[in-house]
Amino acid sequence: MQIPRRTVLSVVPTAALLAAVPPLRARAAAAPAGSAPPGAADHRAAARSGAAGDHAVLLGNMVALFAGTAESNARPEVAAKLAAIGATARARLAALDQAGTGELFRGVPLGTADANLTTSFQYLYEIALATRVPGPAAPDLGADVAAVRRRVVDGLDWLYERYYGDQARGYYGNWFNWEIGISTQVSRILVLLADQLAADRPELVTRYVAAMDGYLRNGRDGDVDLDSRFHTGANLADITGNRILQGAVTGDDARVSKAVADQLTVFATIDPYQLRHGVTDGYYADGSFIQHASVAYTGSYGKALLTRVVQTIKILAGTRYVTTEDLVRVVRGWVVDGFAPLIFEGWLMEMVKGRAVSRTGTGYADVASVVEAVVDLSGHATGADAEALRGYVAFLRRNSRAALDPAGFVSPVSVARYADILADPALPARDLVPAERHVAFAAMDRTVHRRPGYAFALARTSPRISKYEYMSGENLLPWFQGEGAHHLYLAGQDQSQAYGVDYYATVPPYRLAGVTAPVEERRSVPELYGTAWYDRPELGFTSSSESQNTYVYFPRGAGGLSGGARLGAYGSAAFVQADDVAYAAKRAGQLPDDFVAYRNATATKSWFLLDDEIVVLAAGVGDRAGRAVTTTVDSRIAAPDDRVTLVGRRPGGAAWSGTGTAPLSWLRYANATRGGAVGYVFLDRQPVTVALDAVSRSRRVVRTANPDTTVAKQVFSVLFEQAAGSPPRAMAYAIVPNATERQLATYPGPIGVLANSTRVQAIRHHGLGLVAGNVFAPGRYQVERFSLDGPTALLARRAADGTTSIAIADPTTERDTVSVLVRGRRLRALAADEGVRVDQVRDGTRIDVTTRHAYGRSFTARLR
């Protein structure tokens, strides 16, 4: 048996880290006793001495992380970062001088807005940070540094007395601000100004630490509760990171040790069949990342967790709490398997950002924090791992369509290290993933298919994974983002002109690329209820209740299927579209009359992801309520003055151009200004609608906090339209990235559709010698020479040497075994994954795969 490299990278270091948890908990529990055996006092004194040394190292590491070192700050490349720290601090000091009644800082009123209280603490931190920058490049704050520090201490005291210290008056608004946001800023200030506070106001430290404990109301006894749904994943890393700093600054080794032990649990690979504390949040063996129990979230919370744990590695370096080598190996696996496949030419893909897709930042900006984490990680890795990480940083810099500004990094030390990497002439710039790769993130219902000229990203949903995430007035029009929606990123393009917030603001939510949707007008949560959530506390619906999460913020599918298979660099995806749990519950009479839930359209779909094309089959497309339905083959945006052309051919060979509705053999979208093109081949003769609309819409339409900036775009869509009352339909088409007219004229060419129903969908690609099929229903179905028993995803490819490679997966994630019969001449196994049995039988060759607890993973065999 050969253990997959991904499993080795994730499981082995995780086991080592979890083995460190019990000793840390024992260290935390150790305390002086009233009477002790001879010699115990000496042992305790030695332990206290060692702990004090660890605390000093930890605090020094933390200051260096945020303020830099004399060595790093002397580097010319770091000057812009230090200038930014100084400019920010001076602006905050000016706002402090100009504060009005009920404000610590001008324009930040306090008393009812918890976010403003967090902001006030953040501003104090930014001033404190500037006072700790070492070296001759330290910012000029226009006053004696000690005097500035005293102003920060006075500000802490003022906030505590008026707006923070009274537990009965606090904890309004968002729980996050009280348990994480404020504590993050305060904990850092306590470290940065530890000497000043110890000399002038030692009681203030004690009071703040006690208050922070008191506000951990989703915890237990003022501490982390690993059984709390709030203390998971990135949130848990934030809380424990804060408590590590609090313990070090107060000399409380029990607090530090327990916080480290608690944080180590986020490094553990999630096993969905053996959950710890019932937690599904975290990284999975296939590289998936989940937060909020069911949201695919690598690009937001996963990114935040990456940043926080790398900071932990830096802060704990040189202490005895944990072996950082094990931490580095785990996080390196996250980068290789979780992040690198999702970053295309320096752009972080939208489908793993949850509600953050509605924010105005770009995918390029998102990658900056990933780059900083990889830069820092490379400094703690060794050998080939360190070189690969450094090479990846250089690769991202070279291949990104937008320049990365390291002045935006958190740490001046990271800026200097980044400059060293880019200046190394001997360092090969290399991606961490091959240019040709298919990645199935089965644990979060996401697929990435990469080729040198494009990347195709596909989002699906299931009873395991949410259809979308809406929260806090963000992502107001989210309904179909997980319903087979795709993003097609073309190489060499500025992706901010193709996707990002402007795509979601201008493309109708019912016409996102790849989506089948009923024709209706839906209203956002604020439009429905007048608030950012459904507010019925007497029925269990509060701003952060489980009911709100389940039915409003991130509902999962009430049924359906989502899976697929991978064979080398080729892959498939299978999807049965279903209603969400809110509609199912409302229909069952389990939700109040004034709760609004929307019914979905129906569709069964397959995607077969090859070299030059993505072939899509859809069946059962319609609506049980009789509404009209649209299935959008693709939607793309362009600037108002971009030269967009639409040309194609009708089935008889007649030329087509422009917009309208007609049966087409193929269509080509081209943006001559940007240099990109996509072809669409229609494999059955039915009318399609081609549209190119001028759209102007505010970015605020997708997020209440966005600036009211009007965005003007050309919005191209190609779609199938079904009139109200129409029977369910099937359709088949191929998306051809970077297609030329000559290339499109050769289709359908190598592609043959073998089956397209709600029970089975399959194709053959003659040029690749590949057969691919998805079975959705019980029973046995024939796909060319392959007989598939029940729900199955299959890929098979015959090589020039006469061997056949096969990949098989369970798209339901619930079957114990999957069987495939290969009819014809009997074959023998040359190689097979563990769990695959190959037997010669009367009708050919039987392949039995043990899929129990495989969670959608593909199993492969090579036959002759």
Side-chain angles (χ1 to χ4, degrees), residues 55 93 231 264 270 400 456 538 577 730 746 765 849 855:
H55 298 167
L93 284 167
H231 294 188
L264 288 182
I270 299 294
S400 176
F456 184 85
E538 73 279 9
Q577 189 163 302
T746 67
H765 194 288
V849 181
Y855 217 56

Side-chain angles (χ1 to χ4, degrees), residues 454-776:
Y454 70 91
F456 184 85
L458 177 65
R460 304 178 311 283
T461 184
S462 68
R464 306 181 309 275
I465 297 299
S466 298
K467 290 176 174 285
Y468 56 82
E469 187 196 42
Y470 157 82
M471 192 186 293
S472 303
E474 295 189 297
N475 204 21
L476 294 165
L477 312 175
W479 306 287
F480 304 101
Q481 290 170 4
E483 303 284 8
H486 74 250
H487 294 75
L488 175 57
Y489 304 95
L490 300 178
Q493 304 292 301
D494 178 354
Q495 304 301 338
S496 67
Q497 299 300 308
Y499 291 111
V501 65
D502 291 349
Y503 176 81
Y504 291 98
T506 56
V507 176
Y510 322 96
R511 289 192 180 184
L512 298 180
V515 160
T516 293
V519 178
E520 64 182 7
E521 289 295 323
R522 298 186 177 188
R523 291 188 293 164
S524 69
V525 169
E527 288 172 333
L528 287 171
Y529 308 121
T531 61
W533 60 87
Y534 178 64
D535 193 19
R536 291 289 298 274
E538 73 279 9
L539 299 176
F541 284 89
T542 63
S543 63
S544 57
S545 66
E546 289 194 65
S547 296
Q548 200 79 229
N549 292 349
T550 300
Y551 298 118
V552 179
Y553 289 161
F554 27 89
R556 309 182 200 199
L561 173 151
S562 175
R566 179 182 69 86
L567 180 64
Y570 302 100
S572 68
F575 178 54
V576 176
Q577 189 163 302
D579 294 319
D580 65 20
V581 293
Y583 181 81
K586 181 67 181 289
R587 188 177 183 186
Q590 298 168 356
L591 292 174
D593 291 341
D594 65 340
F595 186 97
V596 177
Y598 292 109
R599 188 175 192 174
N600 212 348
T602 62
T604 298
K605 295 184 180 183
S606 292
W607 293 259
F608 302 107
L609 303 105
L610 310 174
D611 286 326
D612 297 329
E613 59 272 308
I614 297 97
V615 181
V616 185
L617 305 184
V621 179
D623 185 67
R624 294 189 179 97
R627 295 167 297 181
V629 172
T630 61
T631 297
T632 304
V633 175
D634 201 10
S635 284
R636 307 190 69 82
I637 61 173
D641 55 352
D642 283 359
R643 290 192 297 116
V644 173
T645 58
L646 302 170
V647 298
R649 291 282 175 180
R650 295 176 180 266
W656 163 278
S657 65
T659 60
T661 300
L664 295 178
S665 294
W666 58 264
L667 175 74
R668 182 174 185 263
Y669 163 93
N671 185 330
T673 306
R674 307 286 173 181
V678 183
Y680 309 95
V681 177
F682 303 101
L683 301 173
D684 48 13
R685 298 189 176 187
Q686 53 183 302
V688 295
T689 297
V690 182
L692 184 64
D693 301 317
V695 177
S696 294
R697 196 167 289 135
S698 172
R699 287 174 174 160
R700 194 170 287 174
V701 73
V702 293
R703 180 172 179 259
T704 57
N706 279 349
D708 191 14
T709 303
T710 298
V711 178
K713 295 289 182 182
Q714 297 181 76
V715 177
F716 157 75
S717 294
V718 55
L719 57 145
F720 295 96
E721 295 182 300
Q722 296 169 242
S726 298
R729 282 169 52 183
M731 51 204 67
Y733 56 90
I735 301 172
V736 187
N738 304 305
T740 64
E741 292 184 42
R742 177 176 295 181
Q743 179 185 7
L744 292 170
T746 67
Y747 281 94
I751 301 172
V753 176
L754 302 177
N756 187 13
S757 72
T758 57
R759 298 178 300 277
V760 57
Q761 295 174 334
I763 67 161
R764 176 175 181 85
H765 194 288
H766 299 278
L768 296 175
L770 183 142
V771 172
N774 292 321
V775 170
F776 299 90

Side-chain angles (χ1 to χ4, degrees), residues 6 9 233-234 266-267 282-291 295-310 327-354 363-375 377 389 392-393 395-396 430-434 437 439-441 444 446-450 455 457 489:
R6 173 182 293 174
L9 286 173
V266 306
F267 290 86
Y283 283 95
Y284 290 68
D286 66 1
S288 298
F289 177 81
I290 301 295
Q291 187 77 30
V295 179
Y297 233 149
T298 314
S300 185
Y301 274 89
K303 182 164 58 77
L305 178 60
L306 177 68
T307 295
R308 178 59 104 162
V309 299
V310 171
L327 300 176
V328 170
R329 291 173 64 197
V330 172
V331 180
R332 179 194 175 277
W334 296 354
V335 173
V336 173
D337 296 323
F339 282 93
L342 293 166
I343 297 173
F344 182 70
E345 294 188 344
W347 180 272
L348 187 57
M349 297 177 180
E350 279 82 356
M351 67 176 181
V352 289
K353 293 182 183 178
Y364 298 121
D366 289 327
V367 168
S369 63
V370 177
V371 169
E372 181 174 9
V374 176
V375 165
L377 200 62
L389 292 171
Y392 184 53
V393 170
F395 173 84
L396 289 175
R430 291 186 185 138
D431 201 347
L432 291 172
V433 296
R437 187 179 179 190
V439 183
F441 292 110
M444 62 178 181
R446 299 294 188 266
T447 299
V448 174
H449 189 72
R450 297 169 65 115
Y489 304 95

Side-chain angles (χ1 to χ4, degrees), residues 31 59 145 210 229 240 313 385 396 454 508 576 657 659 672 729 785:
L59 296 173
V145 168
R229 64 185 173 90
T240 53
I313 290 171
D385 285 350
L396 289 175
Y454 70 91
V576 176
S657 65
T659 60
R729 282 169 52 183
R785 61 187 177 128

Side-chain angles (χ1 to χ4, degrees), residues 16-201:
L17 288 171
L18 292 180
V21 170
L24 283 166
R25 298 210 186 283
R27 178 173 173 174
S35 62
D42 294 336
H43 288 301
R44 287 198 301 269
R48 282 195 296 269
S49 175
D54 283 341
H55 298 167
V57 171
L58 194 157
L59 296 173
N61 289 344
M62 185 274 181
V63 174
L65 190 161
F66 290 100
T69 64
E71 180 182 4
S72 69
N73 294 354
R75 298 279 298 273
E77 301 94 340
V78 183
K81 173 63 182 176
L82 301 182
I85 291 174
T88 299
R90 288 189 293 272
R92 304 312 184 215
L93 284 167
L96 184 62
D97 291 335
Q98 300 163 11
T101 303
E103 297 177 338
L104 182 61
F105 294 93
R106 183 174 181 267
V108 189
L110 299 169
T112 57
D114 54 314
N116 284 0
L117 185 57
T118 301
T119 299
S120 297
F121 282 112
Q122 175 191 327
Y123 287 2
L124 288 178
Y125 160 72
E126 289 166 344
I127 298 170
L129 175 62
T131 71
R132 290 304 309 271
V133 173
D140 178 8
L141 300 179
D144 175 72
V145 168
V148 174
R149 291 174 183 164
R150 282 193 295 272
R151 295 194 70 185
V152 175
V153 173
D154 289 343
L156 280 178
D157 186 49
W158 190 87
L159 288 174
Y160 183 90
E161 291 296 336
R162 290 164 175 78
Y163 298 102
Y164 184 72
D166 187 344
Q167 294 273 327
R169 294 173 55 198
Y171 213 86
Y172 49 85
N174 191 334
W175 75 272
F176 182 92
N177 283 313
W178 298 96
E179 299 203 27
I180 296 177
I182 292 171
S183 297
T184 298
Q185 307 303 329
V186 172
S187 300
R188 292 174 180 178
I189 294 170
L190 297 185
V191 173
L192 291 170
L193 302 187
D195 292 341
Q196 189 88 33
L197 286 161
D200 298 342
R201 301 293 300 278

